[in-house]
């Protein structure tokens, strides 16, 4: 077996047979390939690796999108891992394992500080240092239960293509202010502007975009199916909800996605809400993340504290690291007497704010001396990341 990097132009012939078999229904194979081929102009910056057996046949593949992610207030380079697939006859031979390690190493060398993915089975990716993050929720409600009051602002309804520049501008602002928020690069993002959906843009009285919701209406009297409800603050969200309420005589139900820390049951007094956070495998895995470069974490938000940790058994961040929170920011140096032994998943769980130090220990992701538990809890308080990007 040898590993080779393939170009976007090669993906339709080399990668598509693997990913189509793994993720697509058995149908018009060549028709699907043509649609896939037409999309490849957006994948020029994607790093794709394949494993080839004797004779040059590709039997497994992995890929990574160059992305940006907010980690505790600082926007970092991120590798979004995707297209992990192999032929059935080539599974359980270690091909995907070798591909993933090489991919992560290559993305780290290209500047990625962190990496995220959506797993088909979390325990598989746990071996690569990834730890779980919350999956965004789907909300369903009847629009008649939303309040209708005068607000300082308005909502503009346009096709996605018409409002795409302002939509992507809002996404950039959301990434700058929202922990865990991740974005594709400009080239990959362009494809989303082709979606045949409506875009509701919530604006302040002066015209500034405060929120957005991409959506489609299935049928008259049916469902308004929304994507993520995005807002820079309460006013943007309230304007969008008021806009949805005006569909009371057009649709019976509204569905949309929100982050794990949003409480839709408080959007209205008599609002009947269903809130679902479906996590199952292999189709609805909650996202996972890991740190690839410790020094790249310099400058993320951290409260005052000083703890030295040893990260064990990792090719990228293994070793002893002194973590100092000073003036609201983290600095990372090497060496010292460690007060905690952490797996990379345990360290990543603290950085991303998804586990308390005690939970890190109870999950078997590390051993922490008691004084360091309180210090790490203070330095890295619990904070639920909202990944947003889906890949």
């Amino acid at each position: 077996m040898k590993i080779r990097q393939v170009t976007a132009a090669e993906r339709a012939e080399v990668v598509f047979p693997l990913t189509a078999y793994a993720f697509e229904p058995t149908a018009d194979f060549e028709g699907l390939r043509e649609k896939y081929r037409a999309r490849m102009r957006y994948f020029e910056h994607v790093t794709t690796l394949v494993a080839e057996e004797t004779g040059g046949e590709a039997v497994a593949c992995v890929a990574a999108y160059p992305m940006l992610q907010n980690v505790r207030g600082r926007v970092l380079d991120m590798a979004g891992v995707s297209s992990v697939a192999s032929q059935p006859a080539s599974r359980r031979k270690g091909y995907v394992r070798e591909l993933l390690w090489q991919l992560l190493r290559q993305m780290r060398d290209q500047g990625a500080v962190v990496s995220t993915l959506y797993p088909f089975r979390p325990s598989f990716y746990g071996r690569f240092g990834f730890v779980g993050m919350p999956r965004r929720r789907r909300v369903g409600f009847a629009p008649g239960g939303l309040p209708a009051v005068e607000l300082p602002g308005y909502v503009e309804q346009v096709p996605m293509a018409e409002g795409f520049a302002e939509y992507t501008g809002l996404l950039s602002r959301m990434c700058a202010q929202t922990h865990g928020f991740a974005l594709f690069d400009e080239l990959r993002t362009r494809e989303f502007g082709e979606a045949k959906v409506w875009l509701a843009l919530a604006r302040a009285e002066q015209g500034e975009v405060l929120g957005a919701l991409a959506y489609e209406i299935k049928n008259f009297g049916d469902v308004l199916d929304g994507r993520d409800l995005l807002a820079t603050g309460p006013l943007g969200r309230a304007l969008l909800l008021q806009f949805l309420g005006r569909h009371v005589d057009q649709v019976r139900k509204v569905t949309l996605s929100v982050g794990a820390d949003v409480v839709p049951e408080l959007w209205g007094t008599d609002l009947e809400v269903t809130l679902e956070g479906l996590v199952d495998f292999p189709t609805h895995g909650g996202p996972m993340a890991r740190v690839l470069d410790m020094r790249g974490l310099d400058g993320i938000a951290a409260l005052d504290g000083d703890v030295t940790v040893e990260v064990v058994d990792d090719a990228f961040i293994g070793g002893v690291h002194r973590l100092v929170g000073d003036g609201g920011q983290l600095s990372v140096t090497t060496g010292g007497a460690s007060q905690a032994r952490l797996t990379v998943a345990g360290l990543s769980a603290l950085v991303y704010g998804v586990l308390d130090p005690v939970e890190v220990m109870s999950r078997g992701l590390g051993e922490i001396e008691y004084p360091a538990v309180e210090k790490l809890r203070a330095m890295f308080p619990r904070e639920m990341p909202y990944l947003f990007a889906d890949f």
Side-chain angles (χ1 to χ4, degrees):
M1 185 270 288
K2 74 171 184 177
I3 294 176
R4 180 171 71 90
Q5 183 169 339
V6 300
T7 66
E10 294 177 274
R11 282 181 60 116
E13 302 303 324
V14 178
V15 174
F16 173 78
L18 299 170
T19 57
Y21 184 85
F23 306 119
E24 301 293 343
T26 301
D28 179 8
F29 192 81
E30 288 306 316
L32 287 173
R33 191 200 298 269
E34 287 307 309
K35 293 179 181 178
Y36 186 87
R37 184 178 287 115
R39 300 176 56 219
M40 288 304 101
R41 63 185 184 276
Y42 301 113
F43 285 67
E44 292 291 340
H45 300 161
V46 176
T47 299
T48 305
L49 303 180
V50 298
E52 295 177 334
E53 289 186 334
T54 303
E57 180 187 5
V59 295
C61 61
V62 297
Y65 299 101
M67 302 176 71
L68 296 175
Q69 184 179 37
N70 182 314
V71 179
R72 291 193 182 268
R74 186 176 171 210
V75 178
L76 306 174
D77 287 327
M78 184 192 96
V81 175
S82 184
S83 300
V84 179
S86 66
Q87 291 181 350
S90 299
R91 295 171 187 171
R92 301 181 181 177
K93 293 184 176 181
Y95 292 173
V96 169
R97 180 180 66 246
E98 293 300 320
L99 284 170
L100 276 171
W101 281 125
Q102 179 157 324
L103 180 71
L104 293 174
R105 185 176 299 109
Q106 189 166 329
M107 297 306 293
R108 184 179 188 269
D109 291 344
Q110 293 174 12
V113 178
V114 292
S115 179
T116 66
L117 51 79
Y118 288 87
F120 64 87
R121 189 172 71 249
S123 59
F124 177 84
Y125 291 103
R127 303 167 195 162
F128 297 88
F130 287 87
V131 69
M133 296 196 297
R135 187 174 181 87
R136 61 186 187 273
R137 274 53 168 160
R138 287 296 291 177
V139 183
F141 54 89
L146 294 168
V149 297
E150 290 297 322
L151 295 171
Y154 61 98
V155 173
E156 181 183 12
Q157 170 207 338
V158 297
M160 173 61 84
E162 184 177 326
F164 190 62
E166 289 186 290
Y167 178 68
T168 55
L170 174 69
L171 293 182
S172 294
R173 288 162 55 203
M174 293 284 293
C175 186
Q177 72 178 46
T178 307
H179 173 54
F181 205 92
L183 295 178
F184 295 98
D185 70 356
E186 182 181 355
L187 177 62
R188 181 69 187 87
T189 299
R190 290 177 193 168
E191 182 180 12
F192 307 124
E194 298 180 358
K196 306 301 182 184
V197 296
W198 290 109
L199 180 63
L201 294 172
R203 297 183 183 274
E205 291 179 320
Q206 299 79 16
E208 178 189 3
V209 175
L210 303 176
L213 175 68
Y215 67 96
E216 57 183 318
I217 298 174
K218 298 297 186 180
N219 285 295
F220 176 70
D222 197 358
V223 176
L224 186 154
D225 189 21
R227 297 183 181 177
D228 289 65
L229 183 70
L230 303 171
T232 59
L235 179 56
R237 181 171 60 247
L239 286 167
L240 289 171
L241 292 175
Q242 185 182 75
F243 172 77
L244 293 172
R246 292 174 179 170
H247 291 76
V248 62
D249 296 318
Q250 184 179 356
V251 300
R252 63 177 178 83
K253 184 178 182 181
V254 174
T255 61
L256 48 82
S257 296
V258 295
D261 60 345
V262 177
V263 283
E265 60 268 33
L266 303 184
W267 288 348
T269 302
D270 293 324
L271 185 66
E272 296 181 358
V273 177
T274 59
L275 182 61
E276 182 180 50
L278 176 63
V279 175
D280 63 18
F281 310 104
T283 54
H284 298 94
M288 303 182 78
R290 65 153 291 161
V291 176
L292 289 174
D293 182 358
M294 287 297 294
R295 292 305 301 268
L297 297 178
D298 276 340
I300 70 170
L303 300 183
D304 289 353
D306 187 340
V307 179
T308 299
V309 303
E310 180 184 3
V311 179
V312 296
D313 298 332
D314 186 68
F316 305 122
I317 64 171
V320 179
H321 308 278
R322 183 184 178 192
L323 311 178
V324 178
D326 184 21
Q329 291 189 333
L330 180 72
S331 65
V332 182
T333 55
T334 58
S338 66
Q339 301 156 277
R341 286 173 51 85
L342 302 174
T343 64
V344 61
L347 185 281
S348 299
L350 296 175
V351 169
Y352 276 91
V354 294
L355 294 180
D356 181 85
V358 170
E359 294 170 320
V360 168
M361 290 190 289
S362 68
R363 289 275 305 274
L365 302 178
E367 300 174 354
I368 307 173
E369 297 176 6
Y370 181 74
V373 168
E374 296 298 328
K375 291 181 181 179
L376 287 169
R377 179 179 294 139
M379 291 174 63
F380 302 107
R382 192 75 169 264
E383 186 174 1
M384 288 295 99
Y386 172 36
L387 183 60
F388 171 69
D390 210 343
F391 47 90

